[in-house]
Amino acid sequence: MAVKDRIARVGIELEGGWMVVPPGERCERDGSVIFLPEAGKIAPINKGEIISRPLLRSEMRSWMERSYPSHVNATCGLHVHMSFRHHHINYMRLMTPAYTEAIVRGLARWAAHESLPPTHPLWDRLGKRDHHHCAHQYLGDQQVHVDHKDYHSRGKPHSRYTAINYCFKLHKTLECRILPMFDTSDQAVRAVDEVLNITNMFLATIRLKETRIQAKVALRSVVRSVYRSTV
Amino acid sequence: MNTETLNDGESVIALYLKRTEEGLQVNVQTAVAVEEFFKHWGGAQRRNVGTVGRLWKSNLQGGLLAWELSRLDDHTSFTLVQLGTDITRIGEAGPNLSFLRLVGVSEPGGVTFTVDSVISRGGLEKLAHQLNLACGRFYDEYIKPAEVDITVSVKPRF
């Protein structure tokens, strides 16, 4: 049975190096992207990240193919932002540690299916629960209130360096930060597709009826204070 | 002034919270005494909530209105002055109880609005608990009747 697509728009951040920045795009500086000099290799002129506008899923492949960097290495991440149909309720249903676990498990299955070599950076990101860029830790309830990019948030309750970053106040989106960049744009598209599929599957399997939570203050007896003194 | 009689144990303040497609839906219902309290301290002046904060949405015609709060200091363990802001976040000022100032909270059915925010299921339960405690403190501090009986007597001379 086909799973309902609950994703409204997708935003992609491609990190890497470009000899020529694709027309219409802008390469923004990103301190985490590092290309060390290598013998016999020409370093890219432009290093950093290119960020897409909010895309329909059908527009994703062409944008990624057109904008994909010529140079990538293990320091480069591929971040996927998502917004949803019936945005708030689907967003809130993903606010659980179980979603991070589902993403890690699902991507591990996909990586095995793709026969990624053991040295591929994705394995490192999936295997290290305390990965520097994408710890497998749920901090959603604090992250949703952060209204700026805090580059010094590691170790704090709202650290953005988690596998799933709930950047609701900043972008109104949910960001999957666990993917690294891939050698080809084709494989990168498949990886992003898998993140979206896992997310849709997770939302489809939730059988959660939203309940109304009550908070009531009851009338309490009159406070009676008695003061007596004798002079 | 409107009056009503409540029996011990009846609700003075009732909040109903629910996660919806638009955000966190909040329904506030209070006893008349609560709304009269704010009406009195605000000099019966009303203020459009949207002019203070824009996160509370409602289908009410004319938008959400709140009683002004010009002659009452903010409490130290909760806040009454953050209209239209995110109630899901407990900031330094404590839980945001500004919704108690909404015009119409003591009418049948109270006032319903939606906060443009998100919260996890566990977070919602925690929030409900914190709002409940804070509403209780508000009630004890400002609404609950108190009687003081002072007697000074003179020592009898022998």
Side-chain angles (χ1 to χ4, degrees):
Chain A
M1 197 177 75
V3 173
K4 193 174 169 183
D5 189 2
R6 290 176 165 85
I7 291 158
R9 291 280 195 281
V10 183
I12 308 286
E13 295 175 11
L14 300 172
E15 293 179 354
W18 291 260
M19 296 310 281
V20 179
V21 175
E25 304 297 342
R26 202 178 57 179
C27 178
E28 293 180 18
R29 208 191 79 82
D30 185 322
S32 68
V33 176
I34 299 161
F35 287 98
L36 297 172
E38 284 183 71
K41 283 194 177 174
I42 303 168
I45 299 165
N46 307 285
K47 288 169 283 187
E49 64 179 356
I50 288 182
I51 303 168
S52 79
R53 61 180 169 80
L55 301 165
L56 289 170
R57 205 163 168 178
S58 55
E59 299 170 319
M60 203 176 74
R61 175 175 281 278
S62 64
W63 184 85
M64 283 179 72
E65 285 175 350
R66 194 167 54 80
S67 310
Y68 212 73
S70 50
H71 295 63
V72 295
N73 63 25
T75 68
C76 304
L78 167 49
H79 301 164
V80 184
H81 286 257
M82 292 169 258
S83 67
F84 307 95
R85 301 175 208 279
H86 309 298
H87 186 62
H88 289 73
I89 195 68
N90 281 320
Y91 196 107
M92 288 192 268
R93 285 175 175 173
L94 294 171
M95 289 179 71
T96 161
Y99 174 57
T100 298
E101 289 163 22
I103 286 282
V104 171
R105 255 195 331 268
L107 285 176
R109 260 197 314 271
W110 175 83
H113 182 257
E114 288 275 323
S115 304
L116 293 184
T119 52
H120 195 281
L122 179 58
W123 289 119
D124 192 40
R125 286 166 176 251
L126 293 172
K128 265 193 198 159
R129 295 186 69 82
D130 59 347
H131 195 282
H132 193 60
H133 295 304
C134 53
H136 305 182
Q137 192 182 13
Y138 171 78
L139 298 175
D141 284 292
Q142 290 81 29
Q143 289 169 334
V144 293
H145 298 297
V146 178
D147 59 5
H148 63 285
K149 276 195 176 182
D150 184 355
Y151 294 103
H152 304 287
S153 61
R154 282 190 183 88
K156 294 181 186 169
H158 64 268
S159 168
R160 60 194 289 270
Y161 299 101
T162 52
I164 305 297
N165 176 27
Y166 295 84
C167 43
F168 183 84
K169 197 159 187 183
L170 189 59
H171 299 303
K172 290 244 169 180
T173 61
L174 180 151
E175 177 189 24
C176 174
R177 299 174 50 89
I178 206 162
L179 292 177
M181 288 295 280
F182 294 84
D183 289 339
T184 67
S185 63
D186 190 52
Q187 193 166 43
V189 171
R190 289 202 298 278
V192 174
D193 255 331
E194 193 59 23
V195 168
L196 305 183
N197 291 341
I198 296 166
T199 303
N200 274 325
M201 185 60 81
F202 187 86
L203 286 169
T205 51
I206 289 176
R207 292 281 175 268
L208 188 74
K209 190 170 169 14
E210 292 300 326
T211 50
R212 215 163 70 137
I213 295 188
Q214 289 182 21
K216 284 186 175 179
V217 176
L219 185 74
R220 295 164 196 172
S221 306
V222 174
V223 184
R224 193 181 172 93
S225 306
V226 178
Y227 299 91
R228 292 190 196 287
S229 62
T230 309
V231 291
Chain B
M1 181 182 279
N2 298 322
T3 56
E4 66 181 342
T5 307
L6 293 175
N7 298 315
D8 251 15
E10 276 187 50
S11 291
V12 178
I13 299 168
L15 301 178
Y16 299 94
L17 309 171
K18 189 179 178 187
R19 305 193 307 176
T20 70
E21 289 179 11
E22 284 82 36
L24 179 65
Q25 189 187 73
V26 182
N27 173 252
V28 197
Q29 300 178 30
T30 73
V32 170
V34 175
E35 187 158 7
E36 286 295 335
F37 169 82
F38 286 112
K39 191 175 174 182
H40 171 76
W41 285 101
Q45 297 294 307
R46 297 161 192 234
R47 164 178 279 233
N48 194 317
V49 171
T51 61
V52 189
R54 292 182 297 170
L55 292 187
W56 299 3
K57 315 282 181 201
S58 157
N59 293 329
L60 283 176
Q61 218 172 13
L64 286 168
L65 295 175
W67 297 110
E68 276 286 6
L69 192 65
S70 50
R71 290 189 284 158
L72 191 71
D73 289 337
D74 210 16
H75 200 270
T76 49
S77 63
F78 53 80
T79 177
L80 296 166
V81 299
Q82 294 180 8
L83 290 170
T85 64
D86 193 354
I87 70 159
T88 66
R89 184 180 198 189
I90 311 291
E92 279 177 17
N96 182 1
L97 302 186
S98 310
F99 48 75
L100 295 176
R101 290 169 52 196
L102 290 172
V103 173
V105 285
S106 64
E107 301 290 327
V111 175
T112 301
F113 63 98
T114 305
V115 186
D116 181 8
S117 186
V118 291
I119 189 164
S120 69
R121 204 160 215 229
L124 181 59
E125 277 165 24
K126 207 185 287 179
L127 176 71
H129 178 66
Q130 286 169 315
L131 290 177
N132 198 18
L133 290 178
C135 284
R137 281 197 296 274
F138 163 79
Y139 169 71
D140 286 342
E141 191 84 10
Y142 294 115
I143 309 290
K144 189 164 74 172
E147 286 179 9
V148 180
D149 181 355
I150 302 173
T151 310
V152 178
S153 50
V154 179
K155 235 186 241 177
R157 287 185 179 179
F158 296 104

